[in-house]
Amino acid sequence: MLKVGISDISKNPSLFDKLDDLAEVVNKKTNQVKGVFIPRAYLSSFEKVFEEIEYQKFVKRNASLKNTLDLG
């Protein structure tokens, strides 16, 4: 997997137009991975995973609302 620095992206945003590989987006100063780039050609392979992540984030964001309704 390629590593692409945040500063590389800010200097050359068209970098992703040419990228045809998986890549980690890394803050090179802290060596912390900030995200992952997946080429659009492979998006369909990850759709179910993305839906599950979105659902879990929705549940987490709305947990306090559910608890409030349960008390009512």
Side-chain angles (χ1 to χ4, degrees):
M1 186 178 309
L2 297 173
K3 288 190 178 191
V4 178
I6 294 172
S7 61
D8 299 332
I9 297 167
S10 65
K11 292 175 187 171
N12 186 9
S14 66
L15 176 72
F16 287 119
D17 294 336
K18 303 169 197 154
L19 195 57
D20 189 30
D21 220 340
L22 293 175
E24 289 181 327
V25 179
V26 179
N27 179 337
K28 289 187 178 178
K29 290 181 183 175
T30 63
N31 205 28
Q32 187 177 30
V33 177
K34 296 296 185 175
V36 177
F37 172 79
I38 301 168
R40 184 131 185 95
Y42 303 105
L43 184 60
S44 63
S45 301
F46 292 91
E47 283 179 351
K48 293 287 183 197
V49 174
F50 292 153
E51 287 174 11
E52 181 62 26
I53 291 169
E54 288 174 349
Y55 174 74
Q56 292 300 325
K57 297 210 47 92
F58 171 82
V59 168
K60 187 176 181 179
R61 276 193 302 266
N62 293 295
S64 61
L65 178 60
K66 179 185 178 299
N67 292 338
T68 303
L69 294 174
D70 288 343
L71 295 174

